[in-house]
Structures are given as structure tokens and as C-alpha cells.
């Protein structure tokens, strides 16, 4: 069974319906499911533009720390990213952003 966070349901009702996810209130993440071996997989879904803005505001770091603490296997699902170069530049539909990815190593 796939579970979707209630906030995700309010933001992406068609996606949640298409996935046939059961809606629950989560402490962290947008989607979750349990593996056959009993491990919990949690996913935080971000558009490329939201990834940039939440990274710059430190919201992303907080969300990922919480996701790591709440589930056995955390995933960050990034939608709409066009390209990433070796310097950390992300090309989205709207512009090119420069991000420092070092914070991920420190989570």
C-alpha cells in the first residue's frame, strides 16, 4: 500500500488519485510505503524550482533530516530537472540556479 501525506493530497489531488494512495497525516515526507521485509520507505517530492527555493531557505535540509529520522530508506524525488553540471548548476525550465550540494553530505 502506498500512502500519501494529507498536504500532498491538497497540492496534487490528481496525482494522489492516480497512484491510488491512501491519505494519512505524516510527520515528514510526501509518500511512504512498507517493503516486504518491513522497512519503511519515505519520499520527499520536489519540483526542480521548489528544490532550489527550499534549499536556499534551509527548508530542504530540515525536511531531509526529518525524513532520515522517520524512515528506514529515505528518497528525494526531483521532478523537472533539466540538467546538472559538475559545478552544481541546475537548469530548470525557468532559469539556471547555482547550488552548493555539500549540505547533503552533512545530514
Amino acid at each position: 500500500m502506498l500512502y500519501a501525506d494529507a498536504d500532498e493530497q491538497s497540492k496534487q489531488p490528481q496525482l494522489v488519485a492516480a497512484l491510488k494512495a491512501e491519505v494519512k497525516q505524516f510527520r515528514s515526507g510526501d509518500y511512504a510505503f512498507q517493503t516486504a521485509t518491513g522497512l519503511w520507505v519515505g519520499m520527499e517530492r520536489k519540483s526542480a524550482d521548489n528544490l532550489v527555493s527550499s534549499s536556499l531557505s534551509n527548508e530542504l535540509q530540515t525536511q531531509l533530516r526529518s525524513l532520515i529520522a522517520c524512515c528506514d530508506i529515505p528518497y528525494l524525488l526531483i521532478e523537472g530537472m533539466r540538467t546538472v553540471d559538475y559545478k552544481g548548476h541546475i537548469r530548470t525550465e525557468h532559469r539556471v540556479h547555482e547550488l552548493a550540494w555539500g549540505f547533503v553530505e552533512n545530514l
Side-chain angles (χ1 to χ4, degrees):
M1 169 60 71
L2 179 66
Y3 300 97
D5 182 56
D7 288 339
E8 188 72 358
Q9 165 68 26
S10 65
K11 295 175 192 172
Q12 297 287 333
Q14 292 176 329
L15 177 60
V16 172
L19 293 171
K20 298 179 181 169
E22 184 177 326
V23 177
K24 293 194 177 268
Q25 188 67 48
F26 293 171
R27 290 186 305 178
S28 183
D30 296 315
Y31 297 93
F33 64 91
Q34 194 170 24
T35 67
T37 59
L39 298 176
W40 280 98
V41 177
M43 288 180 272
E44 180 67 39
R45 187 185 63 79
K46 295 280 184 196
S47 68
D49 288 322
N50 185 253
L51 174 75
V52 172
S53 65
S54 63
S55 177
L56 294 174
S57 71
N58 291 326
E59 177 189 9
L60 179 63
Q61 293 87 326
T62 301
Q63 289 175 314
L64 293 180
R65 282 188 186 101
S66 180
L67 188 64
I68 289 166
C70 289
C71 64
D72 301 305
I73 305 170
Y75 277 99
L76 174 60
L77 174 66
I78 304 169
E79 298 177 334
M81 188 176 292
R82 300 296 188 247
T83 60
V84 179
D85 68 21
Y86 70 95
K87 294 180 181 178
H89 297 110
I90 297 176
R91 182 178 305 280
T92 65
E93 187 175 356
H94 305 293
R95 58 182 281 211
V96 176
H97 308 274
E98 185 172 342
L99 289 181
W101 291 94
F103 76 86
V104 174
E105 297 171 1
N106 298 320
L107 292 175

